[in-house]
Amino acid sequence: MTARRLRALLIAPPGAGKGTQAKAIAAHFGVPHISTGDVFRREVDAGTDLGKEVSGYLVRGDLVPDPIVGDIVWRAVQEAVAETGGYLLDGFPRTRAQAEVAYEVAKERGLTADAVVTFDVRREVLMGRLLHRGEGRPDDDETTIRHRLDVYDAQTAPVLEYYVGRGILVRVDADRPIEDVTAAAIAALEGRAP
Ligand code: AMP
């Protein structure tokens, strides 16, 4: 295994720029970017059994059940750590249960996160961005966007408190130009990378 590198989680609402920022941050720290949403979309596109199992959740904007997510994440995190010593997880955890189980498993294996980054953006701004982003995602129609934002507020936003409690949450104002958000996130993480 190579030297220990940054191990971080990125938790942010739909439309906050999570995917774009995660790629830039991961490249800066030289760690793999693991997006659970991307993994699921690839499986759906490839028509695999897993893809068939999760496609309904993705189309509706609902969360995929925890046991399915857990398997995907552990495989990817272990590979990432074996390869580079670190990881940047994008879109995981999405529920308090995912966060708590992940911590127990990560602790046993010596893989716990050094930091959790979240992006603060007002809901009206998120709605506007999602309606106009034109990536052709099937979950980007107005009704599903509203539902995904509600799911985030109800199930994912409370997870942030859990990380405040562990003292590893970093909040970044993401209602500003992409490069400024990247720079702020990297600066905050530099202080927490081993
Ligand atoms: P994202 O690309 O992060 O917006 O995720 C797209 C979709 O993938 C979500 O709306 C969920 O259906 C599913 N998904 C991604 N990550 C998770 C997760 N950690 N837990 C449950 N579902 C997830």
Side-chain angles (χ1 to χ4, degrees):
M1 201 197 287
T2 54
R4 174 103 162 69
R5 295 246 183 93
L6 179 74
R7 297 173 181 179
L9 316 176
L10 196 46
I11 301 178
K18 205 161 46 76
T20 307
Q21 295 297 342
K23 286 190 190 85
I25 296 166
H28 175 86
F29 287 100
V31 297
H33 163 221
I34 304 165
S35 156
T36 43
D38 284 351
V39 171
F40 290 138
R41 278 185 289 276
R42 277 199 296 273
E43 297 285 333
V44 171
D45 290 347
T48 62
D49 287 345
L50 175 62
K52 291 188 186 113
E53 213 177 333
V54 302
S55 84
Y57 297 100
L58 267 77
V59 169
R60 290 190 301 274
D62 285 326
L63 296 181
V64 171
D66 289 351
I68 302 179
V69 185
D71 277 357
I72 300 276
V73 168
W74 287 114
R75 210 170 317 133
V77 164
Q78 276 169 323
E79 275 172 27
V81 169
E83 206 182 300
T84 67
Y87 59 82
L88 180 67
L89 262 172
D90 157 5
F92 177 91
R94 291 279 237 273
T95 64
R96 175 97 187 197
Q98 286 182 7
E100 287 176 3
V101 172
Y103 184 52
E104 291 310 316
V105 178
K107 216 164 39 175
E108 260 170 40
R109 302 180 189 186
L111 298 174
T112 52
D114 306 308
V116 180
V117 181
T118 191
F119 293 140
D120 291 321
V121 185
R122 281 174 300 118
R123 186 168 170 127
E124 310 84 81
V125 176
L126 296 172
M127 272 305 293
R129 285 188 189 172
L130 288 161
L131 283 170
H132 297 110
R133 76 177 172 185
E135 284 175 4
R137 276 174 55 163
D139 56 354
D140 271 352
D141 68 280
E142 185 167 350
T143 311
T144 314
I145 287 171
R146 284 190 198 287
H147 181 60
R148 285 161 59 213
L149 289 169
D150 289 343
V151 168
Y152 181 84
D153 288 344
Q155 302 196 55
T156 306
V159 178
L160 300 177
E161 280 311 306
Y162 171 75
Y163 292 111
V164 170
R166 280 182 43 202
I168 57 172
L169 185 72
V170 174
R171 302 200 87 108
V172 174
D173 168 12
D175 189 3
R176 48 183 170 158
I178 292 176
E179 308 74 52
D180 294 358
V181 177
T182 311
I186 288 174
L189 287 170
E190 291 282 7
R192 290 169 183 262

